[in-house]
Amino acid sequence: MAPLSFSSRNLKTLFYKPRVIPFEFLGQHSSALFSTHIVGDTPILVRDFIHKALYDPNVGYFSQKSASVGVLDRSIKFNQLQGRKAYMKHLDKIYKQSDVSWFTPVELFKPWYAHGIAEAILRTTNLSVPLKIYEIGGGSGTCAKGILDYIKLNAPTRVYDNISYISVEISSSLAAKQIQTVGEVDSHSSKFRVECRDAADRSGWGDVNEQPCWVIMLEVLDNLPHDLIYSENQISPWTEVWVESKEGEKLSELYRPIQDSLIKSCMEIIDMPDATTGGSRVSSAMKSIWAKVFPKPRWCWLPTGCLKLLEVLHGALPKMSLIASDFSYLPDVKIPGERAPLVSTKKDGSSSDYNSYLDAKGDADIFFPTDFLLLEQMDHYCSGWMKQQKDDTSLKRGKKRRTLSLDTAAFMEEFGLPTKTRTKDGYNPLLDDFKNTKFYLSVPTHNIK
């Protein structure tokens, strides 16, 4: 759970970064303009509404932000701070001096956060082949530089000499910033490049690459679009939720039978009972009566954006190893449904949460918790293992991937140097203030016995 002293908005402030989108400042727009541009005359799936509300180049939330990304001039000297109070005072000073609203953990805890990731990679990779790393949504390049720094200092010389680090970044301004940041070390420049494209677009990856590689995704999953399904009671069929615009401004939900392939795949992975009808395969008359007397509407949020990205990655890089970090839990969520998001906006310097995702019309962040068990299931599904299990139940097959989920504190204690982020009295913000975040590691294996 989140630390009691942190609200959901404060947690997001500490553990957040602008995503892989253009950061062109476009000025303010009226609510009516947002509604008109996000949802036109034709209804759209919830995932498309969320994508537009966040990433539309004209009216999306992130497109309204400043072009600057939070970058610290120097690393925080945690060992020189007395404790939590001193750290929070220092953090408040940093935010007041900066023109940005958020810093990422890799920035706040540089270089130690990136060093922990680099150590995890070195321990679990086959160093007999050239090391290749992709980072999706690399921000200002702080993670890339930290990883390259660590490998240069701690890995065999041949590993650093043959490494290639590719940032997949849709924002041209962030791409330029990454090149500048990594280029602060001359020898890094020849090993680093940025590909300005959408990582979820399969065409951008070209032909299938059978070579081993690593894919890093830090705080990417929480802003990926989700779909919503709804059932009016315990035995009614699940329906897809669409968003429609009435009278050019008012948004409402529209419910249709399950047809979308991504939604169907997510429901299959979750193994929702009787996915197409919503009813239990052995539903009893008593259950039917109970549902009529005490109807309980059901909502369920499905990470279809994550599923699509994993399908693309596994299709293009079948021997990839994956490391991702994100929220495992979000407190104070007002929106109903399993895996429901927080919808938060900031006006006049103060934050507030909306009661409905439909209120986000380009003026609010929409971010989701990551169900790490479901993430693992989707990972296996997209790698092909789960499909093989379903197709041939007579054969006992081992997992094609070895996976591990760790709390951030456990990850950093295993791979990082937690003493570097500890204050004089023992308080450690990296270990103590991110109780609701996790790391997910996934590596391929050919064990089928």
Side-chain angles (χ1 to χ4, degrees), residues 79-113:
N79 299 150
Q80 297 178 9
L81 299 174
Q82 182 59 39
R84 186 179 187 280
K85 184 176 180 179
Y87 168 70
M88 296 305 294
K89 183 177 180 180
H90 182 72
L91 200 61
D92 183 61
K93 179 181 178 182
I94 291 173
Y95 275 104
K96 287 180 178 179
Q97 292 176 342
S98 174
D99 292 331
V100 299
S101 300
W102 304 284
F103 287 99
T104 67
V106 75
E107 192 69 37
L108 288 175
F109 302 105
K110 70 178 181 184
W112 317 115
Y113 197 92

Side-chain angles (χ1 to χ4, degrees), residues 46 228-232 237-244 252-258 298-299 357-358:
V46 169
L228 178 62
I229 56 176
Y230 169 77
S231 173
E232 62 181 12
W238 286 105
T239 59
E240 300 174 351
V241 180
W242 293 62
V243 180
E244 62 179 349
S252 62
E253 292 182 340
L254 180 66
Y255 310 111
R256 295 176 174 176
I258 302 294
R298 298 179 294 168
W299 291 268
Y357 70 95
L358 293 176

